Amino acid sequence: AGFIKSPLSQKRLTQDSVELYCEAIGNPIPEIQWWFEGNEPNETYAQLWDGARQDRVKINATYNLHSTSTIYIANLTGDDSGTYECRASNDPDRNHLSKSPKVKWIRSQANVFVIERPDIQTQLTSTAGKLVLSCNLTDPHSAIEGHEWKHGDKILQTDVESSTSTTYEIEGKEEEHSGTYQCIYKTSPEIKGEINISVVPQVVAYKKSEHGNEGDTGVLTCKNPSFPPVSSWTWSRNGVEVGAVSSIVNGSGRYIIKSSGNKTELRILKLNIEEDTGDYHCIATNFFGKGEATVNLRVRSRLAALWPFLGIVAEVLVLVTIIFIYEKRRKPDEVLD
């Protein structure tokens, strides 16, 4: 067996995660194991398995033409610092309890350094129609080579300054720019801080007015584009609640509600013109309060498309009748001599 890819040493912060990759080749296909030795003087190598360290360790391996294995460790602590060893062997006796393998395990090592996460003080202020987001890093562990601000995957601002503080300004109100913003310090490894702009749900209807035919199924939809996500959805009509999240399973009359995260959907089975026409309210709740939107539902008769045609036919009949009567009552032309 021989290595074609070996794990690489890495620096990480506490609470971060780390992933090491190992790939070996041989005939027959070799087995790969992961071992760990801590930095304590009396600590010796111990084998790691999937689910170790209170399920923070995940090991994935594939054996197809050659061997590949990845070890992933989440929520790192200082005790995770040490030497990680990828071992590979294809000797038939490699795991025998009494026999010594003819070919010893080959090994490839990588060091993981877990550094205590420095503290980042964050602040959100609103002045003169502007939102000011600021981060201040205390005791950086390495030189700062710049800053970056992100909202989701979108990069908002970047610079190459070495200051321990950085700010980002947003024009508008909190309701228009809710979400999670990241301030990133370009150090080794990178240090990230988060600022949440949280508001009550800003509910909007997918369509403010919906149309349905009598007997069909009506579908009303609302969504919440703001942060934080909605914890519960309810629907009401004229102030009377017609269902909740719990009614998704068994329904309530002809109402079926399906809610997931920031979206909710109300289905009304077998629409009735007299009973179902009207305004429906979708109500969202999160930790900061409630928000709602209104959807107007109009139910049309199945014969609605026929009425314009019947109207045209009626107009033609009336016009023909008028012409006929006029022709009958008109005086005959004078007879020529």
Side-chain angles (χ1 to χ4, degrees):
F3 290 111
I4 54 178
K5 283 190 178 179
S6 298
L8 301 175
S9 297
Q10 301 180 41
K11 289 182 180 180
R12 288 291 184 268
L13 299 174
T14 52
Q15 303 173 16
D16 280 350
S17 61
V18 68
E19 188 174 76
L20 302 174
Y21 182 80
C22 186
E23 193 169 342
I25 194 169
N27 188 17
I29 298 174
E31 176 192 359
I32 292 180
Q33 295 180 357
W34 288 95
W35 292 68
F36 171 76
E37 183 183 42
N39 294 328
E40 297 296 329
N42 298 329
E43 196 165 355
T44 58
Y45 275 101
Q47 186 177 356
L48 296 173
W49 66 93
D50 189 47
R53 298 179 184 174
Q54 299 179 342
D55 207 33
R56 292 190 298 112
V57 175
K58 300 294 181 184
I59 298 177
N60 293 316
T62 58
Y63 299 96
N64 184 17
L65 300 179
H66 57 275
S67 306
T68 61
S69 182
T70 302
I71 183 171
Y72 174 86
I73 307 169
N75 197 19
L76 291 170
T77 68
D79 295 335
D80 296 318
S81 292
T83 302
Y84 290 80
E85 192 171 84
C86 174
R87 297 183 182 181
S89 176
N90 57 3
D91 188 285
D93 299 326
R94 60 185 178 274
N95 294 317
H96 202 281
L97 296 178
S98 58
K99 292 182 181 180
S100 298
K102 297 176 183 177
V103 180
K104 293 182 178 181
W105 291 80
I106 59 172
R107 309 177 183 190
S108 181
Q109 297 178 340
N111 293 317
V112 174
F113 304 94
V114 182
I115 304 168
E116 190 67 29
R117 178 181 292 276
D119 182 44
I120 296 181
Q121 297 176 350
T122 61
Q123 188 176 11
L124 171 64
T125 57
S126 178
T127 55
K130 288 184 179 180
L131 298 174
V132 181
L133 288 67
S134 60
C135 290
N136 185 31
L137 175 64
T138 59
D139 299 327
H141 54 75
S142 62
I144 300 172
E145 299 179 355
H147 312 89
E148 190 173 84
W149 283 89
K150 294 180 72 175
H151 183 205
D153 295 329
K154 183 180 179 181
I155 298 176
L156 305 173
Q157 177 178 294
T158 184
D159 61 56
V160 291
E161 298 178 2
S162 59
S163 172
T164 57
S165 62
T166 177
T167 60
Y168 177 70
E169 293 185 357
I170 304 174
E171 295 280 352
K173 300 179 180 179
E174 293 185 6
E175 291 79 8
E176 301 170 351
H177 302 282
S178 64
T180 299
Y181 293 79
Q182 280 188 333
C183 56
I184 303 171
Y185 288 83
K186 297 294 184 179
T187 57
S188 180
E190 287 185 345
I191 304 172
K192 299 179 181 179
E194 287 189 353
I195 300 178
N196 292 327
I197 301 180
S198 303
V199 297
V200 299
Q202 306 297 300
V203 183
V204 293
Y206 183 71
K207 288 183 180 179
K208 292 184 178 181
S209 180
E210 289 282 359
H211 301 269
N213 294 323
E214 188 177 20
D216 289 347
T217 299
V219 181
L220 313 181
T221 305
C222 290
K223 59 182 179 179
N224 170 50
S226 59
F227 180 88
V230 174
S231 56
S232 65
W233 286 97
T234 56
W235 283 84
S236 67
R237 179 187 176 190
N238 299 328
V240 179
E241 187 175 319
V242 298
V245 176
S246 59
S247 66
I248 295 175
V249 177
N250 51 21
S252 174
R254 292 181 292 111
Y255 300 110
I256 298 176
I257 297 176
K258 184 179 180 182
S259 302
S260 58
N262 280 333
K263 183 179 178 181
T264 183
E265 181 181 274
L266 171 63
R267 290 179 176 268
I268 307 173
L269 307 178
K270 297 180 181 180
L271 288 172
N272 184 288
I273 294 179
E274 296 180 357
E275 297 179 8
D276 299 324
T277 300
D279 290 334
Y280 292 79
H281 310 281
C282 50
I283 306 165
T285 304
N286 66 11
F287 180 78
F288 295 89
K290 291 184 178 182
E292 68 174 81
T294 302
V295 184
N296 178 260
L297 175 62
R298 298 179 182 178
V299 183
R300 298 172 296 196
S301 170
R302 285 190 173 275
L303 300 177
L306 187 60
W307 295 125
F309 173 74
L310 295 177
I312 294 173
V313 172
E315 288 180 1
V316 172
L317 290 176
V318 170
L319 183 60
V320 170
T321 302
I322 292 173
I323 295 173
F324 179 77
I325 294 174
Y326 175 79
E327 290 291 336
K328 284 290 186 181
R329 292 186 176 184
R330 191 179 63 171
K331 291 182 179 180
D333 294 336
E334 294 181 358
V335 181
L336 294 174
D337 293 338

